[in-house]
Amino acid sequence: MAENPDLGKLILRLTLGVLVLFHGVSKVFGGVSGIENMLVSKDLPAILAYGVYVGEVIAPLMLIIGYYSRVGAALIVVNMLFALGLAHSDQFFMLGDSGGWRLELQGFFLLTAVAVILLGPGKYKWRH
């Protein structure tokens, strides 16, 4: 099989975008009250909870269509840093029930977004 780095970048973008978007859709239908509560408990303004819609709906859509993918990936990085700091800071050094890292999914989202920032979107993208 011939090398096709642009196809690899597309698969990377789509995988990250679709998987993060599922989390965003859940919040569109379920709301962000849990995130608001976490923010308030850390003495942060509850309104920041609405940023999750940027990080988990708008940013993934940017990746999926390839529109300013690096910006979309950077927004996901910020979203994941907030998630790690607010919801998962006590789990950072824990193993999961099956022996893996408790934060595998969050780590995957964070580092895959960093990879998209570094690699760029590839040629299969929205033209802008």
Side-chain angles (χ1 to χ4, degrees):
M1 180 184 260
E3 281 189 29
N4 191 340
D6 289 308
L7 183 58
K9 292 173 185 179
L10 175 65
I11 292 168
L12 188 67
R13 277 191 4 247
L14 291 177
T15 301
L16 178 61
V18 169
L19 293 177
V20 172
L21 183 60
F22 283 136
H23 290 265
V25 168
S26 169
K27 289 174 183 79
V28 166
F29 291 107
V32 294
S33 61
I35 299 169
E36 288 175 322
N37 293 336
M38 281 187 269
L39 287 162
V40 169
S41 75
K42 307 254 187 207
D43 295 323
L44 294 168
I47 192 129
L48 290 177
Y50 293 93
V52 77
Y53 294 123
V54 174
E56 294 185 7
V57 177
I58 294 171
L61 291 173
M62 292 170 74
L63 290 180
I64 290 167
I65 65 171
Y67 182 76
Y68 290 98
S69 296
R70 285 186 160 125
V71 173
L75 292 170
I76 291 173
V77 166
V78 170
N79 186 73
M80 293 314 305
L81 291 173
F82 265 93
L84 288 166
L86 288 173
H88 304 288
S89 60
D90 59 333
Q91 302 169 341
F92 203 79
F93 297 105
M94 295 176 70
L95 296 178
D97 295 333
S98 61
W101 185 33
R102 176 72 57 95
L103 301 178
E104 287 173 346
L105 182 62
Q106 294 82 0
F108 171 81
F109 287 165
L110 175 66
L111 296 175
T112 302
V114 170
V116 171
I117 292 168
L118 295 173
L119 293 170
K123 71 178 181 180
Y124 304 116
K125 63 179 180 164
W126 180 280
R127 299 287 173 210
H128 56 276

